[in-house]
């Protein structure tokens, strides 16, 4: 549990630093959609930490008969919600970013392969324009895979593989719940936020007026 809270602290501190940078260099008005995205992520991170802390200090003493696996599962449910909200905030902000920057054709390229504007195709179009590196694109694909399995498959894997992203390793077997450390979804949230932050910096640099 302490490891999970430490990971949440790292995540929250990182997002706080991003907020300051975005407000200083990117945002053009109060409540700018770019900074609001990071505020939403920050607040969700704080809420998640509060819930985890509450479970540790209040609920755990009354659940002495529970197995450790059940406790970990509760933490995974809480942090899974964090990951879903982070991805939702990023997707909305990316969609708002595309038309906000002058003379870019990211939206047009993203819609060439799909009739709806989705984050995945925004990132693919950005990669074609050199705004996302090959390494970052692979990391985005890893994040997209996990998001889809979490949202559309109840966190059950549809393939057999060892998922690796930086130091995170998750065992995946078809029709089985994915197995990773208790901090899995915090780490994924952190990676997704970092990737979006880097994408935003590149777009801002390429198309700012």
């Amino acid at each position: 549990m302490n490891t999970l809270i430490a990971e949440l602290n790292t995540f929250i501190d990182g997002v706080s630093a991003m907020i300051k940078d975005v407000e200083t260099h990117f945002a053009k008005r109060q409540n700018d959609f770019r900074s609001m995205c990071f505020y939403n992520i920050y607040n969700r991170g704080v809420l998640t930490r509060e819930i985890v802390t509450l479970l540790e200090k209040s609920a755990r003493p009354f659940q002495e008969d529970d197995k450790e696996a059940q406790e970990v599962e509760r933490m995974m449910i809480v942090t899974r919600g964090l990951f879903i909200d982070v991805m939702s905030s990023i997707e909305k902000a990316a969609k708002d970013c595309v038309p906000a920057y002058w003379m870019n054709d990211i939206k047009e390229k993203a819609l060439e392969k799909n009739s709806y504007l989705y984050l995945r195709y925004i990132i693919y179009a950005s990669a074609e324009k050199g705004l996302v590196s090959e390494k970052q694109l692979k990391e985005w694909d890893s994040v997209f895979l996990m998001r889809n399995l979490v949202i559309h498959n109840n966190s059950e894997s549809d393939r057999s593989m060892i998922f690796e992203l930086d130091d995170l390793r998750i065992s995946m077997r078809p029709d089985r719940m994915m197995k990773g450390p208790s901090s899995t979804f915090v780490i994924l949230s952190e990676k997704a936020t970092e990737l979006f932050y880097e994408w935003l910096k590149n777009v801002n640099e390429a198309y700012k007026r």
Side-chain angles (χ1 to χ4, degrees), residues 57-199:
K57 293 183 177 180
S58 301
R60 194 172 182 182
F62 301 100
Q63 299 170 342
E64 295 178 357
D65 295 333
D66 278 5
K67 295 180 181 179
E68 182 179 352
Q70 292 174 322
E71 183 178 346
V72 171
E73 177 61 20
R74 286 190 287 274
M75 294 302 101
M76 296 293 273
I77 291 171
V78 171
T79 55
R80 182 173 61 193
L82 168 67
F83 177 55
I84 292 171
D85 278 5
V86 165
M87 292 302 297
S88 179
S89 294
I90 288 173
E91 179 131 19
K92 177 61 169 64
K95 290 177 180 178
D96 289 338
C97 276
V98 171
Y101 285 97
W102 183 68
M103 290 295 288
N104 80 82
D105 61 348
I106 295 175
K107 180 177 180 179
E108 288 72 18
K109 281 188 171 295
L111 291 174
E112 286 177 0
K113 299 178 181 178
N114 197 75
S115 56
Y116 293 96
L117 189 62
Y118 292 127
L119 176 61
R120 179 188 296 272
Y121 295 103
I122 291 173
I123 297 304
Y124 287 173
S126 299
E128 289 183 25
K129 298 183 68 63
L131 301 170
V132 174
S133 70
E134 184 177 344
K135 178 178 182 293
Q136 289 171 334
L137 186 59
K138 289 180 180 178
E139 292 175 335
W140 273 113
D141 276 333
S142 295
V143 170
F144 290 144
L145 170 62
M146 294 304 297
R147 179 189 64 174
N148 289 345
L149 290 175
V150 167
I151 294 177
H152 302 300
N153 215 43
N154 195 34
S155 298
E156 288 188 4
S157 177
D158 60 358
R159 66 201 71 190
S160 180
M161 64 176 288
I162 298 296
F163 175 94
E164 294 184 279
L165 183 62
D166 295 338
D167 295 330
L168 177 63
R169 287 174 56 88
I170 301 173
S171 176
M172 301 171 66
R173 296 177 63 186
D175 302 319
R176 299 282 187 89
M177 295 294 288
M178 295 180 288
K179 294 183 179 180
S182 61
S183 57
T184 291
F185 292 116
V186 181
I187 295 171
L188 288 170
S189 298
E190 190 171 13
K191 173 57 70 174
T193 306
E194 289 173 354
L195 286 170
F196 176 68
Y197 174 64
E198 292 299 323
W199 175 83

Side-chain angles (χ1 to χ4, degrees), residues 23-57:
E23 289 204 319
T24 302
H25 299 106
F26 305 169
K28 295 184 177 180
R29 61 182 183 275
Q30 188 176 12
N31 296 329
D32 186 279
F33 64 88
R34 285 158 288 207
S35 55
M36 289 307 298
C37 171
F38 291 97
Y39 273 118
N40 290 339
I41 293 171
Y42 176 86
N43 287 334
R44 191 59 171 82
V46 172
L47 175 61
T48 301
R49 182 175 61 187
E50 290 172 348
I51 295 172
V52 170
T53 302
L54 179 65
L55 286 172
E56 181 182 41
K57 293 183 177 180

